[in-house]
Amino acid sequence: MSPSRPRATKAVIPAAGLGTRFLPATKATPKEMLPVVDKPAIQYVVEEAVAAGLRDVLMVTGRNKRALEDHFDRAHELELLLAERGDEDRLARVRASSELCAMHYVRQGDPLGLGHAVLCARAHVGDNAFAVLLGDDLMDERDPLLSRMLDVQQQYGGSVVALMEVDPAHIHQYGCAAVNLTDEDDLVRIVDLVEKPKAEEAPSNLAVIGRYVLAPQIFDVLAETRADGRGEIQLTDALRQLAATGSGGPVHGVLFRGRRYDTGDRSDYLRTIVKLACERDDLGPDFSSWLLEYVEKELAPRLRGA
Ligand code: G1P
């Protein structure tokens, strides 16, 4: 049976956060622009959206985020210079970021949380299902998640969130889902959601990771959702409401078992860079053998001596 619903075509990427965990690097530079090897983190996320067939991307930005718009725009002077030098390789890489897809921007004037950032996309998204990608989570391009989520949304309607099993000791860092199993191995039906529960109160060890495909009914719910104790409107709370009432169709979870890289804090960011650098065809062999030598000759003896 071929699904009658159209597949979602728009992606929303919230990028208004202050990036305080990376200060002072993020004093004058958006955290989304911090490089992961040689591309800003945000470019991986936009490329993931495009790879899943989403060719219309709305970024929800704020003050101090102009570098984001510049990055995805043409850079005529730079391109001319590289062309004159015959540096075709770099020219292609510079152009690539401006030719990915149709980029749009809206500002989130007040820092009222993820739910509010998504609500800022309402006019652009209209009455269609749409994807949300959070910039702190990078998904390995070899382990497609978003296309599966878009397929599920097209087949069943409603909303879809990405879930991953985590160590129960870490569940307090995530939204957490209570689920019912379905006939499909990677698909569950969400019955409840709770934002950042204490380990002993968590309904499962299934964490919401930063990918969502949302029914447009989420906007009405978000508009009514109260801010939490920290003054933030949580997307998790609005999804919980959708799951409870069924008003926007079912809420499904796709279980992700692939490789995910976290760039949200300094340690995770460093791990991400080391892993991705080791796997690169161009830089990987050299960097990996340096790393091995560094670990064996300097780090291991130091740690053993400690
Ligand atoms: C946000 C969401 C949370 C989700 C997480 C995934 O939290 O509110 O439900 O589990 O992203 O990365 P944040 O990490 O922005 O605090």
Side-chain angles (χ1 to χ4, degrees):
M1 191 186 76
S2 65
S4 54
R5 266 176 228 96
R7 206 171 194 255
T9 58
K10 292 181 181 174
V12 173
I13 303 183
L18 292 176
T20 43
R21 280 184 273 191
F22 286 88
L23 281 170
T26 47
K27 187 177 170 191
T29 303
K31 69 166 177 170
E32 295 79 7
M33 288 300 294
L34 295 180
V36 175
V37 189
D38 53 6
K39 270 194 289 191
I42 193 78
Q43 188 173 334
Y44 290 85
V45 181
V46 174
E47 286 173 353
E48 181 192 333
V50 173
L54 304 167
R55 303 201 168 270
D56 179 310
V57 171
L58 175 75
M59 236 172 244
V60 185
T61 70
R63 295 180 69 77
N64 252 334
K65 300 282 183 170
R66 270 211 18 224
L68 286 172
E69 297 192 31
D70 288 342
H71 181 72
F72 292 103
D73 195 3
R74 297 301 294 266
H76 290 289
E77 278 176 31
L78 178 61
E79 288 177 29
L80 208 62
L81 190 80
L82 293 169
E84 275 169 10
R85 286 186 188 163
D87 194 342
E88 295 299 327
D89 202 35
R90 287 202 179 86
L91 180 59
R93 278 190 272 158
V94 163
R95 280 202 180 134
S97 57
S98 64
E99 290 171 350
L100 283 169
C101 60
M103 297 289 304
H104 306 272
Y105 302 89
V106 64
R107 281 193 176 212
Q108 180 186 16
D110 300 303
L112 296 177
L114 177 59
H116 179 255
V118 171
L119 190 53
C120 292
R122 183 173 205 163
H124 182 83
V125 165
D127 200 18
N128 305 296
F130 63 104
V132 174
L133 292 85
L134 305 190
D136 285 348
D137 289 303
L138 304 188
M139 307 299 167
D140 197 298
E141 58 186 358
R142 294 163 294 184
D143 303 321
L145 164 66
L146 194 53
S147 357
R148 169 70 176 140
M149 294 172 71
L150 290 162
D151 288 345
V152 168
Q153 200 285 329
Q154 189 175 24
Q155 188 171 359
Y156 298 100
S159 301
V160 186
V161 304
L163 297 175
M164 193 167 166
E165 283 193 58
V166 299
D167 181 334
H170 295 155
I171 197 72
H172 67 279
Q173 298 165 0
Y174 299 93
C176 176
V179 304
N180 284 335
L181 301 181
T182 71
D183 295 342
E184 292 174 75
D185 166 56
D186 69 337
L187 195 66
V188 292
R189 181 82 184 248
I190 297 204
V191 290
D192 198 9
L193 283 164
V194 38
E195 180 68 4
K196 303 200 173 99
K198 290 185 188 142
E200 58 275 19
E201 285 161 17
S204 74
N205 68 336
L206 292 174
V208 175
I209 51 175
R211 300 294 179 269
Y212 310 78
V213 182
L214 300 174
Q217 286 85 352
I218 195 84
F219 293 124
D220 278 340
V221 180
L222 281 170
E224 298 293 320
T225 302
R226 284 166 185 267
D228 63 9
R230 295 172 53 215
E232 297 193 351
I233 296 171
Q234 295 298 343
L235 181 57
T236 304
D237 292 342
L239 271 164
R240 172 186 216 189
Q241 181 77 7
L242 282 188
T245 62
S247 59
V251 181
H252 282 100
V254 167
L255 301 177
F256 182 62
R257 301 185 175 104
R259 285 157 283 195
R260 164 181 173 263
Y261 309 100
D262 193 340
T263 58
D265 71 26
R266 290 174 301 175
S267 297
D268 290 331
Y269 172 74
L270 291 174
R271 283 183 205 113
T272 302
I273 293 180
V274 171
K275 277 193 200 164
L276 292 184
C278 287
E279 293 184 3
R280 283 269 294 252
D281 289 339
D282 52 353
L283 302 165
D286 226 33
F287 181 68
S288 307
S289 50
W290 170 82
L291 185 62
L292 194 63
E293 199 180 310
Y294 171 66
V295 170
E296 283 176 354
K297 291 203 178 136
E298 290 186 45
L299 201 56
R302 205 188 308 153
L303 290 177
R304 272 190 225 111

